[in-house]
Amino acid sequence: MLNRFPLWKYLLIVSILLVGFIYSAPNLYPDDPAIQIRGQSVALKITDAQMQRAESALKAGGIAVKAVELSPQGGMLRLAAAADQLPGRDLVARALGDEYVVALNLAPTTPAWLRSLGAGPMKLGLDLSGGVHFLLEVDMDKAVTARIKVYEGEVKSLLRKERLRYRSLPQQDNAIQLGFADKAQLEKAHGLIQKSFPDFALTEAERNGQVVLSLALTPAKLAEIREYSIKQNLTTVRNRVNELGVSEPLVQRQGANRIVVELPGVQDTASAKGILGKTANLEFRLEADRDAPKAATESFEFREPNRPPVALERGLIITGDKVTDASASFDENGRPQVNIRLDGHGGDLMNRATRNNVGRSMAVIFIEQKPVTRYVKQTVDGVEKEVPVTAFKEEKKIISLATIQSALGNSFRITGLDGPGESSELALLLRAGGLAAPMHFAEERTIGPSLGAENIELGIKASIWGFIFVSLFILAIYKFFGLLATVALGFNMVLLLALMSLLGATLTLPGIAGIVLTMGMAVDANVLIFSRIREEIENGMSVQRAIHEGFDRAFSAIIDGNLTTLLVGGILFVMGTGPVKGFSVTMSLGILTSMFTAVFVTRAMVNLIFGNRQLKKLWI
């Protein structure tokens, strides 16, 4: 029988629409401004005591707290007003101290029953919801110091290989100082170093009865190290943001030594802040011999308490920048470990060092930048205030000290970690790439909508008026069938919002333009169908046959037109960036939902209303 769907098809359409309503519903619940708290280390857990201190600090500062939440990942304080976030963060950070990361966030208010189904609101871009802005400053002096330390180890290894005796002297102005017993030894070392290390400017001097060779990097090499450091850190920060799954982030260089990071929408900003700011580098060193001179050794403490310090050689085997891959797992005893894979050069250096030192112990040193905050009084706008000034103290501690059983190569493992959380975090940091130099947060603030609240409101109004005018047009032209098209258009908007929420797509202001365009395209499909039905009736075809032929014969034209537009949307997404991508996402998803609603949903409604009736005339 014409114009009748089987029962299963009606049930399928209703099920799809029901799912659409469920997964678009979270967008009706706005987020709460919040302050998030987590430990600087994964092993440092947040307890009720810290949350009570944080809440008391906010109340003492006159900031209203809507709710306090505690989870294994950290704590959350929901606030009543977004304007309270920045001053609230400062109050909580001062109350808890430097051992905790305090960051700004947006806390969802979606009901629990929707969250249990995996439903959540759409992510909004910076131009709609704002986000968190970090300004990271790269410590270039530390980058130069670290590179010189590596060069120093290589130079001394070369001199030992050539059996040239020297004495290590303290560095002066980032210059390596080597003392020699006589002029002949110095001249021989001078020629050897100049040939092997052309990036050093060498100078000779006499000091305290010995001749001294000073090695200082050339200005060109210093500029190269600084440029490499900022580029490497920029790449690492991008990789870390990608590992965190942040949608539509902005990571770009600013000036000579700064990196801007903007995280839009709902993100775990406390976790992001902890991950982005950590140097999390590694150093691999051999344990020093008992008779080694003190000038050639350096003492380090263990991260584990109650273990005595150990003297290690100052020379480095490799650092964490040689790591190409890292993954967290467990050893045969169920203890957490990190599996390390090195690049070719790092593997050669590790093999050379361990091959000649089987039976000796090798230490893995974990390097962190620990924040130290002090408060100084400053006059701001005629009012004396205490302003936080944060410095960073480098902390190096041993996480593993193991005996070398055999020569190591490109792959090995690190043990001695606090727990699975720390092993996962260390693996993430190493996998994303080591920082060439430590960084600190020079600035953190929330970002308001970049185009302004007025423009956003106008964009939403444009969508509403677009829906109204399209509906009025289709109603005026096609009467009752226009009403069915308008209902289908409403279903289309619901499905589009649900699909964007399910896929985690980010809605931007250009994306709203894509939604408005989708409305016109959705109605365009109905116009083709209804026009075809009208033509068939005018040609003398029966009403039921005209309805059937109108949907069937217009279908191929609808498919062709929408597929070509979908192809353009795919090209825009692949080739475009930022706003162009936002537009292409909503337009492409809107094409898919409009094809479903315009063809199947509209036809289902037409079949239910007209499919079982004997009609001689149709008002269309």
Side-chain angles (χ1 to χ4, degrees):
M1 189 173 181
L2 290 177
N3 304 324
R4 292 294 302 272
F5 278 164
L7 180 61
W8 69 265
K9 190 171 287 189
Y10 287 116
L11 293 176
L12 178 61
I13 292 172
V14 171
S15 299
I16 292 174
L17 294 177
L18 181 61
V19 170
F21 277 107
I22 290 174
Y23 284 93
S24 62
N27 295 291
L28 300 175
Y29 299 92
D31 296 324
D32 283 335
I35 295 173
Q36 191 175 6
I37 306 168
R38 68 184 291 271
Q40 288 279 1
S41 169
V42 177
L44 183 59
K45 301 298 182 183
I46 307 299
T47 65
D48 288 324
Q50 281 86 35
M51 298 306 295
Q52 289 174 6
R53 285 167 55 195
E55 186 178 11
S56 298
L58 290 174
K59 289 181 177 178
I63 294 177
V65 179
K66 287 179 64 176
V68 179
E69 300 173 6
L70 185 61
S71 68
Q73 290 74 36
M76 183 87 74
L77 296 158
R78 293 175 182 260
L79 306 181
D84 293 335
Q85 276 187 297
L86 280 173
R89 182 208 55 194
D90 294 338
L91 290 170
V92 173
R94 183 165 187 178
L96 296 183
D98 296 326
E99 292 299 314
Y100 299 91
V101 177
V102 181
L104 310 175
N105 206 345
L106 296 172
T109 60
T110 307
W113 70 272
L114 282 173
R115 291 201 304 269
S116 67
L117 297 174
M122 280 187 300
K123 294 181 175 67
L124 301 180
L126 283 168
D127 53 358
L128 294 181
S129 71
V132 176
H133 167 100
F134 295 129
L135 182 61
L136 298 166
E137 189 167 317
V138 181
D139 191 336
M140 294 299 190
D141 293 335
K142 289 282 181 65
V144 172
T145 302
R147 183 65 66 88
I148 289 175
K149 185 177 289 187
V150 174
Y151 276 132
E152 184 177 13
E154 293 178 357
V155 169
K156 291 177 179 179
S157 177
L158 176 65
L159 295 179
R160 287 194 297 267
K161 182 179 178 181
E162 296 296 326
R163 300 184 182 277
L164 287 173
R165 300 188 65 180
Y166 64 90
R167 182 180 180 185
S168 295
L169 301 175
Q171 290 187 14
Q172 291 185 358
D173 299 325
N174 281 332
I176 301 170
Q177 306 287 324
L178 300 174
F180 295 90
D182 54 58
K183 189 76 171 177
Q185 291 279 325
L186 182 143
E187 292 295 340
K188 189 175 181 180
H190 187 289
L192 192 64
I193 294 171
Q194 194 169 45
K195 180 180 178 181
S196 302
F197 299 94
D199 294 321
F200 280 111
L202 308 181
T203 56
E204 301 175 7
E206 291 191 13
R207 198 178 302 150
N208 299 328
Q210 63 179 343
V211 286
V212 177
L213 183 63
S214 178
L215 291 73
L217 289 171
T218 62
K221 187 62 179 179
L222 289 172
E224 180 185 325
I225 292 172
R226 293 187 175 100
E227 185 66 16
Y228 167 80
S229 298
I230 186 68
K231 287 184 176 180
Q232 173 65 21
N233 281 21
L234 184 63
T235 300
T236 299
V237 168
R238 283 184 177 138
N239 290 339
R240 290 181 180 182
V241 169
N242 291 337
E243 289 276 354
L244 290 168
V246 177
S247 63
E248 298 290 333
L250 172 67
V251 181
Q252 65 183 22
R253 180 174 176 176
Q254 185 181 88
N257 65 336
R258 289 186 169 188
I259 297 173
V260 173
V261 180
E262 293 180 352
L263 307 178
V266 182
Q267 307 296 341
D268 185 355
T269 52
S271 176
K273 187 177 179 181
I275 294 294
L276 293 176
K278 281 193 176 180
T279 304
N281 212 341
L282 299 177
E283 289 182 354
F284 296 81
R285 303 193 191 197
L286 291 172
E287 185 177 8
D289 294 328
R290 290 184 178 180
D291 56 351
K294 287 187 177 181
T297 66
E298 193 173 356
S299 181
F300 291 92
E301 295 180 351
F302 282 86
R303 295 185 79 189
E304 300 176 28
N306 304 322
R307 291 189 65 176
V310 173
L312 305 177
E313 291 185 357
R314 287 186 177 272
L316 305 180
I317 300 174
I318 60 167
T319 57
D321 60 352
K322 302 298 182 186
V323 175
T324 59
D325 191 23
S327 61
S329 64
F330 296 91
D331 63 13
E332 55 276 6
N333 298 315
R335 292 173 298 193
Q337 66 179 22
V338 175
N339 302 308
I340 299 290
R341 183 177 293 276
L342 304 176
D343 60 19
H345 182 54
D348 291 340
L349 293 174
M350 179 62 72
N351 182 265
R352 191 185 311 160
T354 55
R355 183 179 63 223
N356 300 326
N357 292 283
V358 174
R360 293 182 63 185
S361 294
M362 182 178 68
V364 181
I365 301 173
F366 186 64
I367 306 171
E368 288 184 286
Q369 299 294 320
K370 293 283 189 178
V372 179
T373 305
R374 60 188 181 88
Y375 292 84
V376 298
K377 291 184 177 181
Q378 292 184 4
T379 301
V380 180
D381 297 329
V383 180
E384 189 176 69
K385 297 181 179 179
E386 287 191 331
V387 179
V389 178
T390 302
F392 285 80
K393 177 185 177 183
E394 187 175 73
E395 182 180 274
K396 293 184 176 183
K397 290 191 176 181
I398 299 172
I399 60 173
S400 176
L401 181 65
T403 302
I404 300 171
Q405 304 290 346
S406 60
L408 301 176
N410 293 66
S411 301
F412 55 93
R413 62 184 182 177
I414 297 175
T415 58
L417 301 164
D418 283 343
E422 186 173 58
S423 64
S424 298
E425 184 177 282
L426 178 58
L428 184 153
L429 294 171
L430 294 175
R431 186 169 60 248
L435 295 174
M439 301 184 297
H440 66 272
F441 289 88
E443 181 182 330
E444 177 191 354
R445 57 185 170 85
T446 54
I447 303 173
S450 58
L451 299 181
E454 183 179 353
N455 285 347
I456 296 170
E457 185 180 352
L458 290 174
I460 296 173
K461 284 182 178 179
S463 302
I464 295 173
W465 282 110
F467 185 91
I468 292 172
F469 281 121
V470 166
S471 300
L472 290 175
F473 171 80
I474 200 77
L475 284 168
I477 301 298
Y478 295 106
K479 314 282 188 308
F480 184 74
F481 274 73
L483 177 62
L484 298 182
T486 300
V487 174
L489 182 59
F491 287 145
N492 180 41
M493 294 297 103
V494 170
L495 290 178
L496 177 56
L497 294 180
L499 197 55
M500 291 188 68
S501 300
L502 276 170
L503 297 178
T506 301
L507 180 65
T508 60
L509 197 58
I512 295 177
I515 291 175
V516 176
L517 179 63
T518 297
M519 295 179 190
M521 295 178 65
V523 171
D524 181 61
N526 284 131
V527 168
L528 288 173
I529 295 169
F530 298 160
S531 296
R532 186 75 188 198
I533 294 173
R534 182 182 285 175
E535 288 177 8
E536 298 296 351
I537 291 175
E538 290 175 352
N539 290 333
M541 192 175 289
S542 68
V543 171
Q544 294 293 347
R545 173 58 65 177
I547 292 174
H548 179 78
E549 294 296 327
F551 276 100
D552 279 4
R553 294 188 179 183
F555 184 72
S556 59
I558 294 170
I559 291 293
D560 292 343
N562 282 283
L563 282 180
T564 53
T565 309
L566 189 62
L567 178 62
V568 172
I571 293 172
L572 288 176
F573 182 81
V574 173
M575 305 296 292
T577 58
V580 176
K581 277 194 174 184
F583 174 80
S584 66
V585 166
T586 53
M587 184 186 73
S588 301
L589 294 178
I591 289 171
L592 298 176
T593 56
S594 65
M595 288 175 65
F596 173 76
T597 55
V599 177
F600 295 103
V601 175
T602 304
R603 187 164 191 176
M605 291 189 292
V606 170
N607 287 353
L608 282 172
I609 297 171
F610 300 104
N612 201 26
R613 297 170 61 185
Q614 296 294 327
L615 299 171
K616 294 184 178 180
K617 191 174 183 180
L618 191 68
W619 291 92
I620 184 171

